[in-house]
Amino acid sequence: MCNGCVQKEYPDRGSTCLENGSYLMNYLGCAKCHHRDFVLICNKDTEDDDGEEIVTYDHVCKNCDHVIARHEYTFSVVDEYQEYTMLCMLCGKAEDSISVLPEDPRQTASLF
Protein backbone atom coordinates (compact mmCIF):
# COMPACT_ATOMS: atom_id res chain seq x y z
CA MET A 1 0.00 0.00 0.00
CA CYS A 2 1.34 3.33 -1.03
CA ASN A 3 0.99 6.56 0.91
CA GLY A 4 2.45 8.48 -2.06
CA CYS A 5 -0.68 7.79 -4.12
CA VAL A 6 -3.22 9.17 -1.66
CA GLN A 7 -3.97 12.67 -0.42
CA LYS A 8 -4.75 11.49 3.12
CA GLU A 9 -4.19 8.03 4.60
CA TYR A 10 -7.34 6.36 5.95
CA PRO A 11 -9.62 9.43 5.84
CA ASP A 12 -12.62 9.37 8.18
CA ARG A 13 -15.67 8.60 6.02
CA GLY A 14 -18.23 8.57 8.83
CA SER A 15 -20.83 5.92 7.99
CA THR A 16 -20.02 5.56 4.25
CA CYS A 17 -18.88 1.95 3.84
CA LEU A 18 -18.05 0.88 0.28
CA GLU A 19 -18.40 -2.78 -0.61
CA ASN A 20 -17.16 -2.00 -4.11
CA GLY A 21 -15.55 0.97 -5.84
CA SER A 22 -12.91 3.60 -5.10
CA TYR A 23 -12.85 7.00 -3.40
CA LEU A 24 -11.17 8.93 -6.21
CA MET A 25 -11.37 12.29 -4.40
CA ASN A 26 -8.52 10.99 -2.23
CA TYR A 27 -6.43 9.70 -5.17
CA LEU A 28 -3.47 11.92 -6.09
CA GLY A 29 -2.20 9.69 -8.88
CA CYS A 30 0.16 6.77 -9.13
CA ALA A 31 3.44 7.38 -7.30
CA LYS A 32 5.18 4.80 -9.51
CA CYS A 33 4.23 5.90 -13.08
CA HIS A 34 2.96 9.42 -12.23
CA HIS A 35 -0.32 9.01 -14.16
CA ARG A 36 -3.72 9.95 -12.71
CA ASP A 37 -6.00 7.51 -14.48
CA PHE A 38 -8.64 4.97 -13.56
CA VAL A 39 -8.12 2.75 -10.54
CA LEU A 40 -8.80 -0.93 -11.16
CA ILE A 41 -10.17 -3.40 -8.64
CA CYS A 42 -8.14 -6.62 -8.61
CA ASN A 43 -7.81 -9.76 -6.51
CA LYS A 44 -11.36 -9.44 -5.15
CA ASP A 45 -12.21 -12.09 -2.60
CA THR A 46 -15.37 -12.69 -0.58
CA GLU A 47 -15.43 -15.04 2.36
CA ASP A 48 -18.01 -15.90 4.96
CA ASP A 49 -16.37 -16.32 8.34
CA ASP A 50 -18.86 -17.52 10.97
CA GLY A 51 -21.70 -15.23 9.83
CA GLU A 52 -19.46 -12.30 8.94
CA GLU A 53 -19.02 -11.48 5.26
CA ILE A 54 -15.55 -10.13 4.48
CA VAL A 55 -14.80 -8.56 1.08
CA THR A 56 -11.19 -7.69 0.24
CA TYR A 57 -9.61 -6.34 -2.94
CA ASP A 58 -6.68 -4.29 -4.21
CA HIS A 59 -6.89 -0.83 -5.78
CA VAL A 60 -4.41 -1.01 -8.67
CA CYS A 61 -3.08 1.58 -11.15
CA LYS A 62 -4.51 0.96 -14.64
CA ASN A 63 -1.21 1.85 -16.32
CA CYS A 64 1.50 0.06 -14.35
CA ASP A 65 -0.33 -2.40 -12.00
CA HIS A 66 1.07 -0.61 -8.93
CA VAL A 67 -0.95 -1.56 -5.82
CA ILE A 68 -2.33 1.69 -4.40
CA ALA A 69 -4.23 0.26 -1.43
CA ARG A 70 -5.84 -2.87 0.03
CA HIS A 71 -9.57 -2.51 0.71
CA GLU A 72 -11.46 -4.45 3.41
CA TYR A 73 -15.23 -4.34 3.91
CA THR A 74 -17.14 -6.39 6.49
CA PHE A 75 -20.82 -7.07 7.02
CA SER A 76 -22.46 -8.92 9.88
CA VAL A 77 -25.72 -9.10 11.78
CA VAL A 78 -25.34 -8.58 15.53
CA ASP A 79 -28.51 -8.86 17.62
CA GLU A 80 -31.03 -6.76 15.64
CA TYR A 81 -28.49 -4.65 13.76
CA GLN A 82 -26.64 -4.92 10.48
CA GLU A 83 -23.03 -3.88 11.13
CA TYR A 84 -20.81 -2.54 8.34
CA THR A 85 -17.12 -1.57 8.46
CA MET A 86 -14.60 -0.39 5.88
CA LEU A 87 -10.84 0.05 6.17
CA CYS A 88 -8.73 1.22 3.23
CA MET A 89 -5.85 3.68 2.81
CA LEU A 90 -7.55 5.15 -0.29
CA CYS A 91 -11.27 4.92 0.62
CA GLY A 92 -10.87 5.55 4.34
CA LYS A 93 -12.28 4.11 7.52
CA ALA A 94 -15.97 3.95 8.36
CA GLU A 95 -18.55 2.01 10.27
CA ASP A 96 -22.33 1.90 10.27
CA SER A 97 -25.07 0.10 12.14
CA ILE A 98 -28.64 -0.21 10.85
CA SER A 99 -31.58 -1.79 12.64
CA VAL A 100 -33.24 -4.75 10.92
CA LEU A 101 -36.50 -3.84 12.66
CA PRO A 102 -39.07 -1.53 11.00
CA GLU A 103 -38.40 1.07 13.71
CA ASP A 104 -34.89 1.54 15.08
CA PRO A 105 -35.08 1.19 18.91
CA ARG A 106 -32.19 3.66 19.28
CA GLN A 107 -34.15 6.34 17.41
CA THR A 108 -37.42 5.88 19.31
CA ALA A 109 -35.69 5.78 22.69
CA SER A 110 -34.23 9.24 22.16
CA LEU A 111 -37.70 10.72 21.54
CA PHE A 112 -38.80 10.21 25.15
Side-chain angles (χ1 to χ4, degrees):
M1 308 348 85
C2 181
N3 60 359
C5 297
V6 298
Q7 202 168 59
K8 182 177 181 182
E9 292 182 34
Y10 302 99
D12 184 1
R13 298 292 305 282
S15 62
T16 303
C17 297
L18 303 175
E19 179 180 357
N20 200 357
S22 304
Y23 182 48
L24 297 178
M25 296 290 292
N26 193 37
Y27 182 51
L28 289 174
C30 181
K32 184 176 177 186
C33 71
H34 307 291
H35 284 95
R36 189 172 195 278
D37 210 336
F38 292 106
V39 174
L40 302 177
I41 292 174
C42 298
N43 304 320
K44 188 169 183 177
D45 185 43
T46 303
E47 65 180 67
D48 193 354
D49 184 23
D50 208 20
E52 180 177 61
E53 179 184 354
I54 303 168
V55 177
T56 56
Y57 57 87
D58 293 332
H59 295 285
V60 176
C61 174
K62 173 188 164 201
N63 297 301
C64 70
D65 295 327
H66 174 69
V67 177
I68 298 159
R70 180 103 173 125
H71 189 102
E72 182 177 294
Y73 165 88
T74 63
F75 168 79
S76 61
V77 177
V78 178
D79 297 325
E80 285 124 13
Y81 295 94
Q82 295 176 334
E83 304 284 338
Y84 303 88
T85 64
M86 175 184 73
L87 185 62
C88 175
M89 184 183 291
L90 174 65
C91 298
K93 56 185 175 187
E95 48 185 52
D96 197 10
S97 177
I98 300 170
S99 176
V100 295
L101 302 174
E103 304 240 352
D104 189 340
R106 296 174 298 192
Q107 303 267 332
T108 55
S110 64
L111 295 176
F112 299 105

